[in-house]
Amino acid sequence: PAPLPPEREHASALSLLAMLQREGRFLDFVQENVAAFPDADVGAAARIVHEGCRKVVHQYLTLQPVLPQGEGDKVTVPPGFDAQRIRLTGNVAGEPPYGGTLRHHGWVTTEVKFPTVSPAMEPRVLAPAEVELA
């Protein structure tokens, strides 16, 4: 079979971006240059974006921390650890086990519930233009 064009191969990822835009105006927020805006305005916008994006993530993904400990806790990284799940930083020398401080617990998806993307939909359109008629 012929390979799918990139927009079809990645339709579910594009669909996720479209959902984040629809519910949280994610793309509008990250495309805006916020450097000139006062912190209070950026913070107010971030609350709206956060609420909508969080809704999408919770609706379609089940997440859990890679490591159960809290950030700042001391942890031991055992021999044979999964380098895709645990990234070592700082003074990495020698062989495991390694002892260190957890800086971020990481995230892993335990369930994905994306809707099927209809072949009739154009996956590259993340948000249609909106025209208000008078």
Side-chain angles (χ1 to χ4, degrees):
L4 293 173
E7 64 271 12
R8 287 286 166 207
E9 182 179 347
H10 304 292
S12 60
L14 294 171
S15 175
L16 176 61
L17 277 176
M19 290 183 273
L20 291 170
Q21 171 62 20
R22 183 178 61 245
E23 296 295 332
R25 305 294 290 223
F26 174 75
L27 295 172
D28 292 341
F29 185 75
V30 299
Q31 289 295 101
E32 186 73 43
N33 180 358
V34 299
F37 292 102
D39 288 349
D41 291 351
V42 175
R47 285 189 187 282
I48 295 166
V49 173
H50 177 267
E51 181 180 332
C53 293
R54 189 171 196 266
K55 176 183 170 185
V56 169
V57 168
H58 286 174
Q59 183 174 358
Y60 295 106
L61 302 169
T62 302
L63 302 173
Q64 70 179 36
V66 171
L67 295 178
Q69 295 89 344
E71 293 177 6
D73 288 351
K74 296 296 183 192
V75 297
T76 299
V77 179
F81 72 95
D82 184 344
Q84 290 185 41
R85 289 178 174 254
I86 299 173
R87 178 176 50 214
L88 302 175
T89 62
N91 185 19
V92 181
E95 297 295 321
Y98 299 110
T101 303
L102 185 62
R103 295 296 176 210
H104 187 271
H105 56 64
W107 291 109
V108 62
T109 303
T110 59
E111 186 179 5
V112 178
K113 301 170 279 200
F114 288 145
T116 303
V117 179
S118 168
M121 299 296 292
E122 169 56 76
R124 294 177 299 169
V125 177
L126 302 177
E130 297 178 15
V131 177
E132 182 177 343
L133 304 179

